[in-house]
Amino acid sequence: MKIEAILSFIAFVVCAGAVDLQLEDKDSVNSALSLIADGLMNYYKGTSEEGQTVGMFTKPYYWWEAGAAWGSMIDFWYYTGNDTYNDKVKKALLGETGKNNDYLPSSQTATEGNDDQGFFGITAMAAAERNFSNPKEDEPQWLALAQAVFNTMTTRWDTKKENCGGGLRWQIYPWNSGYDYKNTVSNGCMFNIAARLARYTGNKTYEEWADKIYNWVEGVEWITSDYKLYDGGYIKNQCKVNDKVQWTYNYGLFISGAAAMYNHTEDSKWKDRAQGLWKASSDILFKNKIMYESGCQPSKRCTNDQRCFKAIYSRFLGLTMQLMPDMSSEILSYLKPSAEAAAKSCSGGTDGHTCGLNWFEGYDNQYGLGEQMSALEVIQNTMAPSKKPPLTKENGGTSKGDPNAGSDSDSQAMTKNKLDIATKDRAGAGILTIVVISIMCVTAFWMLK
């Protein structure tokens, strides 16, 4: 072996290794977060490789997870002060707004759901609350983007009695699978954005919507009297709970939304809700105070999407501690052991600090964008109590809003009512289909002669 190769190998061995995390040492925490964030960004090629899309992570990661990941990177900058990736984050978020600046880009029409749009809106809201670098004046602004997402969601709020008398469907477009299902995460995203817009702007309309959304979800018993939070239900069954799986990210959306409402209104009902949801989630989503995805980790069948849910839950527990400081001590007593366990899982891969999914056993050889996001968020949100609460327009928030943002959305006309095709139109469509197929067959026959 040549001497250069030997030296290179020695350097790799020295530099590689598990993330070293000492939670009481700020430098240690920042160093650990820097390594994990770098690993997260390794999945992003949107500005470095031909054929990749600005704002999107590499396959197999869906568009919505990009929105959630950019929220993780805004948190990374906010907690550490490290702005290495800020330009990429800003470019990514602005690159996916769509022509009407509402996070309904035409490239996602075939698959975009209300929850997908919601996570981009939540990240835009965080950018406003954290005073993340504002876009240029001729570009869409963070607060206005969050308002656009919320406004377009209100046009899709489905009040028909036969459709459960309220709520958002899972899917935006009628042709997508899941349009007949209403779920917690879509309504949770809308609730979370409404609550935070109410706090940021002081506008009563957002406050009223937050009440309406929470009450509806409670009314269909997705939130139970003891604050268990289930996934959703089919419209044909009047949205009766379809199954009793409980996901971390659903709890995060509602806990932090309730905390934002309590911080804003000081109404004790929101305090009770935030505390009740936290207690219910801490009972089922931690084992020996280490966070885990109880809906899929025991069966070892977590999908790519589900592998990032702990990141979202961790982020919103951090937000809750900032909005309701009295909850900090108890939440931290769970987050800190989880952060230490997550750091121990970040000991795999060729770099020696790729993070795993299961935080009970060190690195478990399950890796990806979601694993990096989850480790990043659980560690950095242990610092939440030492940071100031999210800003509002009254105490330093500089992002510009637009209460009418999203009014030109292409989705409104298409989704206000389900598209029904009259019988004669079905017949016409059938005839047209036969004609088209016939032409294709004749063309193919002559090409083969």
Side-chain angles (χ1 to χ4, degrees):
M1 183 181 291
K2 293 182 179 179
I3 187 65
E4 293 87 350
I6 294 173
L7 291 174
S8 177
F9 177 75
I10 292 172
F12 170 78
V13 171
V14 171
C15 294
V19 167
D20 180 23
L21 177 67
Q22 305 295 326
L23 284 176
E24 307 308 318
D25 181 348
K26 183 177 179 180
D27 289 338
S28 169
V29 174
N30 285 348
S31 177
L33 291 172
S34 181
L35 287 173
I36 297 169
D38 186 60
L40 187 159
M41 290 300 291
N42 283 339
Y43 292 97
Y44 182 60
K45 310 295 181 184
T47 57
S48 61
E49 289 187 9
E50 186 176 350
Q52 298 292 327
T53 303
V54 173
M56 289 281 289
F57 283 79
T58 56
K59 291 182 179 180
Y61 304 110
Y62 293 115
W63 183 76
W64 84 270
E65 194 168 347
W70 299 130
S72 295
M73 294 307 296
I74 288 175
D75 266 6
F76 170 70
W77 157 76
Y78 174 75
Y79 283 119
T80 67
N82 187 332
D83 63 1
T84 301
Y85 305 106
N86 283 16
D87 287 344
K88 286 185 178 181
V89 174
K90 180 192 282 191
K91 186 177 290 187
L93 288 172
L94 294 177
E96 291 297 318
T97 61
K99 69 177 184 179
N100 293 316
N101 297 326
D102 51 13
Y103 285 117
L104 291 167
S106 58
S107 62
Q108 298 302 314
T109 302
T111 58
E112 186 172 356
N114 279 299
D115 51 343
D116 304 336
Q117 184 196 25
F119 279 107
F120 269 92
I122 283 169
T123 294
M125 189 72 236
E129 293 169 333
R130 305 300 197 195
N131 264 354
F132 186 65
S133 176
N134 285 317
K136 298 175 183 176
E137 287 190 10
D138 61 347
E139 294 176 321
Q141 304 299 302
W142 305 130
L143 179 59
L145 284 166
Q147 289 171 310
V149 170
F150 173 79
N151 289 340
T152 59
M153 284 181 162
T154 64
T155 69
R156 301 191 293 268
W157 183 262
D158 182 6
T159 58
K160 289 183 179 180
K161 185 177 180 181
E162 63 269 28
N163 294 343
C164 316
L168 285 180
R169 296 170 184 259
W170 177 20
Q171 298 298 326
I172 293 174
Y173 302 105
W175 51 80
N176 285 338
S177 177
Y179 188 72
D180 58 343
Y181 189 73
K182 292 187 178 180
N183 62 354
T184 301
V185 65
S186 295
N187 290 279
C189 284
M190 188 182 182
F191 168 69
N192 192 274
I193 295 170
R196 292 160 71 176
L197 283 173
R199 179 181 177 275
Y200 191 98
T201 68
N203 188 314
K204 288 286 285 187
T205 299
Y206 299 125
E207 186 178 324
E208 291 165 0
W209 266 102
D211 256 319
K212 180 191 292 190
I213 299 162
Y214 189 98
N215 291 340
W216 182 81
V217 172
E218 190 177 51
V220 293
E221 299 182 344
W222 298 350
I223 297 177
T224 67
S225 59
D226 56 353
Y227 294 104
K228 290 185 174 65
L229 185 57
Y230 300 131
D231 188 63
Y234 286 96
I235 292 170
K236 66 182 180 181
N237 297 328
Q238 276 295 295
C239 295
K240 183 179 178 181
V241 172
N242 186 54
D243 62 53
K244 294 189 175 181
V245 64
Q246 297 176 68
W247 299 110
T248 52
Y249 74 158
N250 283 335
Y251 274 107
L253 287 165
F254 278 90
I255 294 169
S256 58
M261 288 299 292
Y262 178 65
N263 183 277
H264 174 56
T265 67
E266 297 184 351
D267 187 330
S268 61
K269 73 180 180 184
W270 292 112
K271 180 179 181 180
D272 293 342
R273 288 167 173 175
Q275 291 178 333
L277 287 163
W278 156 247
K279 177 63 170 61
S281 72
S282 66
D283 286 344
I284 193 169
L285 302 176
F286 293 85
K287 187 180 292 185
N288 297 325
K289 292 196 172 182
I290 296 175
M291 188 186 302
Y292 79 115
E293 200 62 62
S294 62
C296 65
Q297 270 187 234
S299 65
K300 298 183 179 180
R301 293 182 178 178
C302 294
T303 65
N304 279 322
D305 285 347
Q306 293 159 2
R307 291 180 181 197
C308 79
F309 289 179
K310 289 183 293 187
I312 297 163
Y313 181 52
S314 298
R315 180 193 309 166
F316 287 138
L317 290 181
L319 183 60
T320 298
M321 289 190 288
Q322 292 183 319
L323 295 168
M324 292 181 62
D326 288 349
M327 293 180 66
S328 293
S329 178
E330 185 177 354
I331 292 176
L332 272 180
S333 73
Y334 286 77
L335 275 193
K336 284 186 174 181
S338 296
E340 290 168 348
K344 290 177 182 177
S345 86
C346 297
S347 57
T350 57
D351 59 8
H353 45 258
T354 293
C355 303
L357 174 66
N358 187 342
W359 296 343
F360 297 114
E361 55 188 46
Y363 183 64
D364 61 357
N365 205 37
Q366 298 189 69
Y367 58 90
L369 177 60
E371 285 83 350
Q372 294 299 126
M373 287 170 60
S374 295
L376 184 74
E377 288 279 29
V378 74
I379 294 170
Q380 63 196 12
N381 277 284
T382 61
M383 297 190 282
S386 65
K387 289 283 191 177
K388 292 181 180 179
L391 299 172
T392 72
K393 71 172 186 178
E394 299 298 331
N395 66 6
T398 60
S399 187
K400 295 180 180 178
D402 177 3
N404 297 314
S407 59
D408 296 327
S409 172
D410 290 338
S411 74
Q412 290 185 37
M414 287 189 286
T415 62
K416 208 162 189 179
N417 297 294
K418 185 174 180 179
L419 297 179
D420 291 318
I421 303 175
T423 302
K424 63 179 181 180
D425 293 328
R426 288 196 191 99
I431 293 169
L432 180 59
T433 300
I434 292 170
V435 170
V436 171
I437 293 173
S438 299
I439 292 171
M440 290 173 65
C441 290
V442 170
T443 302
F445 173 76
W446 283 108
M447 288 178 67
L448 291 171
K449 284 189 71 176

